Amino acid sequence: AMYIKAQRSARNATVARDEAKSTVKFFTDDLLASVYPERAKSPEVSVRYIMEAASQKLQDRFTDKPTVEAEIRAALGLTYDKLGDYKAAEQHIRRAWEIRRKQLGEEDPDTLAVLSHLGRLHLMSGRYEDAESLLTTAIEAQKRVLGKDHANTLQSMCDLANVHLDQGRFDEAKV
């Protein structure tokens, strides 16, 4: 049994390494190479231009490596979020969540991370009912999987408190 467990761990490590290589390759070869000054229309390339190029290049690119697509979409979603483009962020984060749920399961920490991020995006967009529903689901699972004191669990709890604060539900906002 120990031998099988060791084999499985080695295989998981190999898969993780391959996925990381594919992700880095996408960002360096496909994305950054596409905006070299000689290839881009202008030497001043905006972050938004790069993001849109990445989003387009991602279409049907990783059908054989869905977890790589999810990883890239999570990164793009975070960047769009930081740019304040919550609609574009939500498209990537929602797709990352769908892929991870199917590939990794509902309660995988990576699945829960994008579920929580999706809830936070709903909060930022003022869609409080959706935010509350997603964050509540995320928190319940994060407490089970990660523990109540884990940084991701605490972040989700903080986001849920902000949902309640924005709605004027001050008693519920106490964490």
Side-chain angles (χ1 to χ4, degrees):
M2 281 297 288
Y3 175 70
I4 291 169
K5 203 170 186 181
Q7 263 190 326
R8 193 175 299 135
S9 291
R11 188 168 59 243
N12 289 347
T14 304
V15 168
R17 192 179 64 238
D18 289 347
E19 287 177 358
K21 276 185 184 170
S22 296
T23 304
V24 170
K25 192 169 168 23
F26 174 79
F27 280 110
T28 54
D29 295 0
D30 287 347
L31 190 52
L32 298 177
S34 74
V35 295
Y36 288 157
E38 66 267 28
R39 293 196 198 166
K41 295 178 181 82
S42 154
E44 292 298 317
V45 178
S46 70
V47 173
R48 189 165 296 280
Y49 174 90
I50 295 172
M51 297 295 292
E52 285 168 7
S55 300
Q56 286 170 3
K57 284 180 177 291
L58 201 48
Q59 298 302 325
D60 304 322
R61 176 68 199 281
F62 291 105
T63 46
D64 58 331
K65 292 182 180 174
T67 50
V68 172
E69 180 182 339
E71 191 71 26
I72 293 167
R73 286 193 184 276
L76 293 174
L78 185 60
T79 307
Y80 272 122
D81 182 352
K82 300 290 185 203
L83 291 171
D85 188 341
Y86 304 128
K87 191 175 178 187
E90 186 187 328
Q91 290 173 342
H92 287 292
I93 296 299
R94 183 175 294 284
R95 184 71 187 117
W97 181 46
E98 288 165 0
I99 293 169
R100 285 179 174 172
R101 277 165 58 200
K102 188 176 176 186
Q103 299 294 321
L104 307 174
E106 296 277 350
E107 296 205 344
D108 182 89
D110 289 340
T111 305
L112 294 175
V114 286
L115 171 60
S116 178
H117 191 175
L118 193 57
R120 187 162 55 255
L121 287 168
H122 286 324
L123 161 64
M124 301 305 285
S125 303
R127 287 157 44 214
Y128 299 119
E129 277 185 32
D130 291 337
E132 183 172 14
S133 171
L134 292 172
L135 289 166
T136 301
T137 302
I139 291 164
E140 286 169 4
Q142 285 171 325
K143 282 180 178 174
R144 275 196 306 277
V145 175
L146 304 171
K148 64 181 175 52
D149 296 324
H150 190 279
N152 292 11
T153 309
L154 295 172
Q155 176 68 59
S156 298
M157 291 168 72
C158 186
D159 291 335
L160 183 59
N162 281 319
V163 170
H164 294 150
L165 279 174
D166 285 1
Q167 293 179 302
R169 293 158 61 188
F170 302 115
D171 289 344
E172 293 171 83
K174 293 185 183 116
V175 177

